[in-house]
Amino acid sequence: MKYLVRTPKIISKLIFPGYVWDMEDAGNRLFLTFDDGPHPEATPYVLDLLKEYQARATFFCIGKNVRLYPEIYKRIILEGHKTGNHTMNHLNGWKTDDAIYLKNVVEASQYIDTNLFRPPYGRIGAFQAKQIKEALGLKIIMWTVLSGDFDRTISAAQCWQNIKSKTREGSIVVFHDSEKAMPRMRQALKDTLEYFSEKKMQFDSIS
């Protein structure tokens, strides 16, 4: 599986300048994000750990999962975190007709009250992005660092090293609160919270 752990500036600033790739002027803050939930086991684990470290995060939720687990979604909100739209059915924008993709985003918005959007797989067409920003009024949030927790070929320790080596002030870091990612996410998230807390970094949500 090939992917960039840290997004190069030439990609984030020159090729895709209309998306949010990091949080500038963030001071000593980091921005942890979680994709694909809510999940009945992974999301409560994440929320418990975030509470332990008094950390805030942003959850990019799939609409069908919010519909399945509304109480977990409510808990995310009640505990002070932000949410984002991640489509209704985790669609790949490069492989989906524009009208179908946009309809799917609108359907998810019936369950997810937010002005933030993250395209699944980071794959979205130019027309889709334009409509999401202008017609739907959503900010497109990408990432600075991919933890790699979705990658079954690496260990939790390797996942943590991805984060430790590439994360800086203002970084947007991607985890997944999903069954697939849990074997790596559980320990890597705990290591992240412990390590950066010791460095007096704050964990904030994207507003």
Side-chain angles (χ1 to χ4, degrees):
M1 185 178 294
K2 294 182 179 180
Y3 52 90
L4 296 170
V5 173
R6 185 175 176 89
T7 306
K9 290 288 185 183
I10 191 170
I11 292 177
S12 62
K13 302 300 182 185
L14 298 181
I15 302 177
F16 300 106
Y19 307 162
V20 178
W21 291 89
D22 55 25
M23 302 299 285
E24 297 180 353
D25 303 318
N28 66 334
R29 293 182 295 161
L30 297 179
F31 299 85
L32 303 184
T33 65
F34 298 87
D35 288 5
D36 297 355
H39 180 274
E41 184 178 354
T43 308
Y45 172 82
V46 169
L47 289 170
D48 288 346
L49 201 54
L50 293 175
K51 183 184 292 186
E52 181 181 340
Y53 285 87
Q54 298 182 321
R56 294 288 179 268
T58 307
F59 291 77
F60 289 91
C61 300
I62 297 174
K64 68 175 183 178
N65 289 342
V66 175
R67 186 171 60 189
L68 283 171
Y69 307 109
E71 294 305 317
I72 301 176
Y73 178 77
K74 289 178 184 177
R75 182 182 167 189
I76 293 171
I77 303 297
L78 288 172
E79 295 189 4
H81 307 289
K82 301 295 184 182
T83 59
N85 187 322
H86 202 46
T87 75
M88 190 69 187
N89 301 101
H90 204 262
L91 298 185
N92 183 332
W94 293 358
K95 297 180 179 180
T96 307
D97 174 81
D98 290 344
I100 293 173
Y101 189 84
L102 294 169
K103 183 179 179 180
N104 204 259
V105 175
V106 170
E107 185 180 0
S109 71
Q110 298 174 18
Y111 300 92
I112 307 162
D113 184 14
T114 182
N115 69 334
L116 307 178
F117 176 78
R118 174 175 284 163
Y121 313 103
R123 294 175 180 175
I124 185 170
F127 178 78
Q128 295 165 355
K130 180 178 171 60
Q131 291 301 304
I132 283 170
K133 289 189 292 182
E134 296 180 4
L136 302 182
L138 302 178
K139 295 180 182 179
I140 298 178
I141 310 297
M142 301 299 269
W143 58 81
T144 320
V145 178
L146 279 176
S147 67
D149 59 355
F150 56 86
D151 185 353
R152 291 191 175 102
T153 68
I154 69 172
S155 66
Q158 289 172 304
C159 182
W160 158 234
Q161 285 303 315
N162 285 344
I163 299 163
K164 183 180 179 181
S165 64
K166 303 297 184 181
T167 300
R168 308 289 185 270
E169 291 182 350
S171 290
I172 299 172
V173 182
V174 179
F175 288 96
H176 293 77
D177 51 334
S178 67
E179 183 174 350
K180 176 183 177 181
M182 276 199 76
R184 291 155 296 279
M185 178 272 289
R186 291 173 66 100
Q187 188 60 47
L189 176 58
K190 185 174 179 61
D191 290 341
T192 299
L193 289 164
E194 181 177 346
Y195 178 81
F196 288 106
S197 291
E198 290 176 354
K199 290 188 171 295
K200 307 302 181 184
M201 298 292 284
Q202 295 180 354
F203 301 94
D204 206 353
S205 55
I206 299 170
S207 60

